[in-house]
Short mmCIF file of all heavy atoms in Angstrom, two decimals:
data_model
loop_
_atom_site.label_atom_id
_atom_site.label_comp_id
_atom_site.label_asym_id
_atom_site.label_seq_id
_atom_site.Cartn_x
_atom_site.Cartn_y
_atom_site.Cartn_z
N LYS A 1 -5.41 -12.65 -3.48
CA LYS A 1 -5.74 -12.69 -4.91
C LYS A 1 -5.97 -11.27 -5.43
O LYS A 1 -5.52 -10.91 -6.51
CB LYS A 1 -6.98 -13.55 -5.17
CG LYS A 1 -6.76 -15.03 -5.01
CD LYS A 1 -8.07 -15.79 -5.22
CE LYS A 1 -7.92 -17.25 -4.87
NZ LYS A 1 -9.19 -17.98 -4.95
N ASN A 2 -6.68 -10.47 -4.65
CA ASN A 2 -6.94 -9.09 -5.01
C ASN A 2 -5.62 -8.30 -5.05
O ASN A 2 -5.40 -7.49 -5.95
CB ASN A 2 -7.92 -8.45 -4.02
CG ASN A 2 -8.36 -7.07 -4.44
OD1 ASN A 2 -8.22 -6.66 -5.59
ND2 ASN A 2 -8.90 -6.32 -3.49
N ALA A 3 -4.74 -8.54 -4.09
CA ALA A 3 -3.44 -7.86 -4.07
C ALA A 3 -2.63 -8.21 -5.32
O ALA A 3 -2.04 -7.33 -5.96
CB ALA A 3 -2.68 -8.22 -2.81
N LYS A 4 -2.60 -9.51 -5.68
CA LYS A 4 -1.88 -9.91 -6.89
C LYS A 4 -2.46 -9.23 -8.13
O LYS A 4 -1.72 -8.78 -9.00
CB LYS A 4 -1.95 -11.44 -7.06
CG LYS A 4 -0.90 -12.20 -6.30
CD LYS A 4 -1.02 -13.69 -6.53
CE LYS A 4 -0.37 -14.12 -7.82
NZ LYS A 4 -0.22 -15.58 -7.94
N LYS A 5 -3.78 -9.15 -8.18
CA LYS A 5 -4.45 -8.49 -9.31
C LYS A 5 -4.04 -7.02 -9.39
O LYS A 5 -3.72 -6.51 -10.47
CB LYS A 5 -5.96 -8.62 -9.16
CG LYS A 5 -6.77 -7.94 -10.24
CD LYS A 5 -8.27 -8.16 -9.98
CE LYS A 5 -9.11 -7.47 -11.01
NZ LYS A 5 -9.52 -6.14 -10.64
N GLN A 6 -4.02 -6.35 -8.24
CA GLN A 6 -3.64 -4.94 -8.23
C GLN A 6 -2.17 -4.75 -8.60
O GLN A 6 -1.83 -3.79 -9.29
CB GLN A 6 -3.98 -4.30 -6.88
CG GLN A 6 -5.48 -4.13 -6.71
CD GLN A 6 -5.86 -3.40 -5.44
OE1 GLN A 6 -5.25 -2.40 -5.09
NE2 GLN A 6 -6.90 -3.89 -4.77
N PHE A 7 -1.30 -5.67 -8.17
CA PHE A 7 0.10 -5.58 -8.58
C PHE A 7 0.23 -5.75 -10.09
O PHE A 7 0.98 -5.03 -10.74
CB PHE A 7 0.96 -6.62 -7.84
CG PHE A 7 1.60 -6.09 -6.59
CD1 PHE A 7 0.96 -6.23 -5.37
CD2 PHE A 7 2.81 -5.42 -6.62
CE1 PHE A 7 1.52 -5.73 -4.21
CE2 PHE A 7 3.39 -4.92 -5.47
CZ PHE A 7 2.74 -5.08 -4.26
N ALA A 8 -0.51 -6.71 -10.65
CA ALA A 8 -0.48 -6.91 -12.10
C ALA A 8 -0.96 -5.65 -12.83
O ALA A 8 -0.37 -5.24 -13.84
CB ALA A 8 -1.33 -8.11 -12.49
N GLU A 9 -2.01 -5.04 -12.31
CA GLU A 9 -2.51 -3.80 -12.92
C GLU A 9 -1.52 -2.65 -12.75
O GLU A 9 -1.35 -1.85 -13.65
CB GLU A 9 -3.87 -3.43 -12.30
CG GLU A 9 -4.97 -4.37 -12.71
CD GLU A 9 -6.27 -4.16 -11.94
OE1 GLU A 9 -6.28 -3.40 -10.93
OE2 GLU A 9 -7.28 -4.77 -12.34
N TYR A 10 -0.85 -2.59 -11.61
CA TYR A 10 0.17 -1.55 -11.39
C TYR A 10 1.29 -1.70 -12.41
O TYR A 10 1.66 -0.74 -13.09
CB TYR A 10 0.73 -1.62 -9.96
CG TYR A 10 1.90 -0.69 -9.76
CD1 TYR A 10 1.69 0.66 -9.51
CD2 TYR A 10 3.21 -1.15 -9.85
CE1 TYR A 10 2.76 1.54 -9.36
CE2 TYR A 10 4.28 -0.28 -9.70
CZ TYR A 10 4.05 1.05 -9.45
OH TYR A 10 5.12 1.92 -9.32
N PHE A 11 1.84 -2.90 -12.53
CA PHE A 11 2.95 -3.10 -13.47
C PHE A 11 2.48 -3.00 -14.92
O PHE A 11 3.29 -2.76 -15.80
CB PHE A 11 3.66 -4.43 -13.19
CG PHE A 11 4.56 -4.37 -11.99
CD1 PHE A 11 4.21 -5.03 -10.83
CD2 PHE A 11 5.72 -3.62 -12.00
CE1 PHE A 11 5.02 -4.96 -9.70
CE2 PHE A 11 6.54 -3.54 -10.89
CZ PHE A 11 6.19 -4.21 -9.73
N GLY A 12 1.18 -3.14 -15.16
CA GLY A 12 0.62 -2.95 -16.49
C GLY A 12 0.23 -1.50 -16.76
O GLY A 12 -0.29 -1.19 -17.83
N GLY A 13 0.47 -0.62 -15.79
CA GLY A 13 0.19 0.80 -15.98
C GLY A 13 -1.25 1.20 -15.74
O GLY A 13 -1.64 2.33 -16.04
N LYS A 14 -2.06 0.30 -15.18
CA LYS A 14 -3.48 0.60 -14.99
C LYS A 14 -3.84 0.99 -13.56
O LYS A 14 -4.74 1.79 -13.35
CB LYS A 14 -4.32 -0.59 -15.42
CG LYS A 14 -4.22 -0.85 -16.90
CD LYS A 14 -5.03 -2.05 -17.32
CE LYS A 14 -4.89 -2.24 -18.81
NZ LYS A 14 -4.78 -3.60 -19.20
N CYS A 15 -3.19 0.43 -12.57
CA CYS A 15 -3.48 0.73 -11.16
C CYS A 15 -2.60 1.90 -10.73
O CYS A 15 -1.39 1.80 -10.72
CB CYS A 15 -3.19 -0.50 -10.30
SG CYS A 15 -3.42 -0.21 -8.53
N LYS A 16 -3.24 3.00 -10.37
CA LYS A 16 -2.52 4.19 -9.93
C LYS A 16 -2.47 4.30 -8.41
O LYS A 16 -1.59 4.92 -7.85
CB LYS A 16 -3.16 5.46 -10.50
CG LYS A 16 -3.42 5.43 -12.00
CD LYS A 16 -2.17 5.37 -12.83
CE LYS A 16 -2.49 5.56 -14.29
NZ LYS A 16 -1.80 4.73 -15.20
N VAL A 17 -3.46 3.69 -7.74
CA VAL A 17 -3.55 3.70 -6.28
C VAL A 17 -4.00 2.31 -5.84
O VAL A 17 -5.02 1.81 -6.32
CB VAL A 17 -4.56 4.76 -5.77
CG1 VAL A 17 -4.70 4.70 -4.26
CG2 VAL A 17 -4.18 6.15 -6.23
N PHE A 18 -3.26 1.70 -4.95
CA PHE A 18 -3.67 0.41 -4.40
C PHE A 18 -4.83 0.61 -3.44
O PHE A 18 -4.85 1.58 -2.68
CB PHE A 18 -2.50 -0.27 -3.67
CG PHE A 18 -1.44 -0.80 -4.59
CD1 PHE A 18 -0.42 0.02 -5.05
CD2 PHE A 18 -1.47 -2.12 -5.01
CE1 PHE A 18 0.57 -0.46 -5.90
CE2 PHE A 18 -0.50 -2.62 -5.87
CZ PHE A 18 0.52 -1.79 -6.31
N ASP A 19 -5.79 -0.29 -3.50
CA ASP A 19 -6.95 -0.23 -2.61
C ASP A 19 -7.02 -1.54 -1.82
O ASP A 19 -7.73 -2.48 -2.19
CB ASP A 19 -8.23 -0.01 -3.42
CG ASP A 19 -9.46 0.13 -2.55
OD1 ASP A 19 -9.32 0.45 -1.35
OD2 ASP A 19 -10.58 -0.09 -3.07
N LEU A 20 -6.22 -1.59 -0.77
CA LEU A 20 -6.10 -2.79 0.05
C LEU A 20 -6.06 -2.39 1.52
O LEU A 20 -5.50 -1.34 1.86
CB LEU A 20 -4.80 -3.55 -0.28
CG LEU A 20 -4.63 -4.04 -1.70
CD1 LEU A 20 -3.18 -4.40 -1.98
CD2 LEU A 20 -5.54 -5.24 -1.95
N PRO A 21 -6.60 -3.21 2.41
CA PRO A 21 -6.44 -2.92 3.84
C PRO A 21 -4.98 -3.15 4.23
O PRO A 21 -4.38 -4.17 3.86
CB PRO A 21 -7.38 -3.92 4.53
CG PRO A 21 -7.58 -5.02 3.54
CD PRO A 21 -7.40 -4.41 2.18
N LEU A 22 -4.41 -2.20 4.95
CA LEU A 22 -3.00 -2.26 5.33
C LEU A 22 -2.87 -2.24 6.84
O LEU A 22 -3.66 -1.60 7.52
CB LEU A 22 -2.23 -1.07 4.75
CG LEU A 22 -2.37 -0.81 3.25
CD1 LEU A 22 -1.62 0.45 2.86
CD2 LEU A 22 -1.91 -2.02 2.44
N ASN A 23 -1.84 -2.91 7.35
CA ASN A 23 -1.55 -2.85 8.77
C ASN A 23 -0.04 -2.75 8.93
O ASN A 23 0.70 -3.55 8.39
CB ASN A 23 -2.08 -4.07 9.51
CG ASN A 23 -2.14 -3.82 11.00
OD1 ASN A 23 -1.24 -3.22 11.58
ND2 ASN A 23 -3.21 -4.26 11.62
N PHE A 24 0.39 -1.75 9.69
CA PHE A 24 1.80 -1.50 9.90
C PHE A 24 2.26 -2.10 11.23
O PHE A 24 2.67 -1.38 12.13
CB PHE A 24 2.07 0.01 9.85
CG PHE A 24 1.73 0.62 8.53
CD1 PHE A 24 0.55 1.34 8.37
CD2 PHE A 24 2.56 0.47 7.44
CE1 PHE A 24 0.23 1.90 7.14
CE2 PHE A 24 2.24 1.03 6.21
CZ PHE A 24 1.08 1.74 6.06
N TYR A 25 2.18 -3.42 11.35
CA TYR A 25 2.59 -4.12 12.57
C TYR A 25 4.02 -3.76 12.93
O TYR A 25 4.91 -3.76 12.07
CB TYR A 25 2.51 -5.64 12.39
CG TYR A 25 1.11 -6.19 12.30
CD1 TYR A 25 0.55 -6.53 11.08
CD2 TYR A 25 0.35 -6.36 13.45
CE1 TYR A 25 -0.74 -7.03 11.00
CE2 TYR A 25 -0.93 -6.87 13.39
CZ TYR A 25 -1.47 -7.20 12.16
OH TYR A 25 -2.75 -7.69 12.08
N GLY A 26 4.25 -3.42 14.18
CA GLY A 26 5.61 -3.20 14.67
C GLY A 26 6.21 -1.85 14.31
O GLY A 26 7.38 -1.61 14.62
N CYS A 27 5.47 -0.98 13.66
CA CYS A 27 6.00 0.32 13.27
C CYS A 27 5.71 1.35 14.34
O CYS A 27 4.66 1.31 14.99
CB CYS A 27 5.39 0.77 11.94
SG CYS A 27 5.82 -0.30 10.56
N THR A 28 6.61 2.30 14.50
CA THR A 28 6.41 3.38 15.47
C THR A 28 5.38 4.37 14.93
O THR A 28 5.07 4.36 13.72
CB THR A 28 7.72 4.14 15.73
OG1 THR A 28 8.10 4.82 14.52
CG2 THR A 28 8.83 3.21 16.19
N GLU A 29 4.88 5.23 15.79
CA GLU A 29 3.92 6.25 15.37
C GLU A 29 4.56 7.19 14.34
O GLU A 29 3.90 7.61 13.39
CB GLU A 29 3.39 7.03 16.57
CG GLU A 29 2.46 6.22 17.46
CD GLU A 29 1.28 5.59 16.71
OE1 GLU A 29 0.63 6.29 15.91
OE2 GLU A 29 1.02 4.38 16.91
N PHE A 30 5.84 7.52 14.53
CA PHE A 30 6.52 8.37 13.55
C PHE A 30 6.56 7.69 12.18
O PHE A 30 6.25 8.30 11.16
CB PHE A 30 7.94 8.71 14.01
CG PHE A 30 8.70 9.52 12.99
CD1 PHE A 30 8.47 10.88 12.84
CD2 PHE A 30 9.64 8.91 12.14
CE1 PHE A 30 9.15 11.63 11.89
CE2 PHE A 30 10.32 9.65 11.19
CZ PHE A 30 10.07 11.01 11.06
N MET A 31 6.93 6.42 12.16
CA MET A 31 6.98 5.69 10.90
C MET A 31 5.61 5.67 10.23
O MET A 31 5.50 5.92 9.02
CB MET A 31 7.48 4.25 11.13
CG MET A 31 8.93 4.18 11.58
SD MET A 31 9.40 2.56 12.22
CE MET A 31 9.62 1.64 10.72
N LYS A 32 4.57 5.41 11.01
CA LYS A 32 3.21 5.38 10.45
C LYS A 32 2.84 6.74 9.87
O LYS A 32 2.20 6.81 8.81
CB LYS A 32 2.20 4.98 11.53
CG LYS A 32 2.31 3.53 11.95
CD LYS A 32 1.34 3.23 13.09
CE LYS A 32 1.57 1.85 13.66
NZ LYS A 32 0.68 1.56 14.81
N SER A 33 3.25 7.83 10.53
CA SER A 33 2.94 9.16 10.00
C SER A 33 3.68 9.39 8.68
O SER A 33 3.13 9.99 7.75
CB SER A 33 3.27 10.26 11.01
OG SER A 33 4.66 10.40 11.21
N VAL A 34 4.90 8.90 8.57
CA VAL A 34 5.64 9.00 7.31
C VAL A 34 4.93 8.20 6.22
O VAL A 34 4.72 8.70 5.11
CB VAL A 34 7.10 8.51 7.48
CG1 VAL A 34 7.80 8.36 6.13
CG2 VAL A 34 7.89 9.47 8.38
N TYR A 35 4.51 6.99 6.53
CA TYR A 35 3.84 6.15 5.53
C TYR A 35 2.53 6.76 5.07
O TYR A 35 2.19 6.69 3.88
CB TYR A 35 3.63 4.73 6.06
CG TYR A 35 4.92 4.06 6.50
CD1 TYR A 35 4.94 3.16 7.55
CD2 TYR A 35 6.13 4.36 5.88
CE1 TYR A 35 6.11 2.56 7.96
CE2 TYR A 35 7.32 3.76 6.29
CZ TYR A 35 7.30 2.87 7.34
OH TYR A 35 8.47 2.28 7.74
N GLN A 36 1.81 7.40 5.98
CA GLN A 36 0.56 8.07 5.59
C GLN A 36 0.86 9.22 4.62
O GLN A 36 0.10 9.44 3.68
CB GLN A 36 -0.19 8.58 6.83
CG GLN A 36 -0.78 7.47 7.69
CD GLN A 36 -1.71 6.54 6.91
OE1 GLN A 36 -2.53 6.98 6.13
NE2 GLN A 36 -1.56 5.24 7.12
N GLU A 37 1.97 9.93 4.83
CA GLU A 37 2.36 11.00 3.89
C GLU A 37 2.80 10.43 2.55
O GLU A 37 2.51 11.00 1.50
CB GLU A 37 3.47 11.88 4.49
CG GLU A 37 2.96 12.84 5.52
CD GLU A 37 1.85 13.75 5.03
OE1 GLU A 37 1.95 14.30 3.91
OE2 GLU A 37 0.86 13.92 5.77
N LEU A 38 3.49 9.31 2.57
CA LEU A 38 3.91 8.69 1.31
C LEU A 38 2.70 8.29 0.47
O LEU A 38 2.73 8.42 -0.75
CB LEU A 38 4.79 7.46 1.57
CG LEU A 38 6.11 7.68 2.31
CD1 LEU A 38 6.87 6.38 2.43
CD2 LEU A 38 6.96 8.74 1.66
N LEU A 39 1.67 7.83 1.14
CA LEU A 39 0.45 7.43 0.43
C LEU A 39 -0.22 8.62 -0.27
O LEU A 39 -0.99 8.43 -1.21
CB LEU A 39 -0.55 6.77 1.38
CG LEU A 39 -0.16 5.37 1.85
CD1 LEU A 39 -1.02 4.94 3.04
CD2 LEU A 39 -0.28 4.38 0.70
#
């Protein structure tokens, strides 16, 4: 529910940074390092 709310705020121009717990199941360490930089 919180994720849906944040998506609605993002598409409404209000959410600039998502604040959700994330888990990168199945991703390599290199991929995780890339995702941390993207964030």
Side-chain angles (χ1 to χ4, degrees):
K1 288 177 189 175
N2 187 17
K4 275 181 81 168
K5 178 179 179 267
Q6 289 185 43
F7 266 93
E9 290 171 350
Y10 173 81
F11 284 108
K14 294 179 180 140
C15 176
K16 310 295 189 222
V17 177
F18 287 86
D19 183 20
L20 299 164
L22 308 176
N23 197 319
F24 299 102
Y25 289 102
C27 296
T28 66
E29 289 305 314
F30 177 78
M31 293 166 78
K32 290 176 188 178
S33 69
V34 169
Y35 303 148
Q36 290 304 316
E37 284 304 315
L38 298 182
L39 288 166

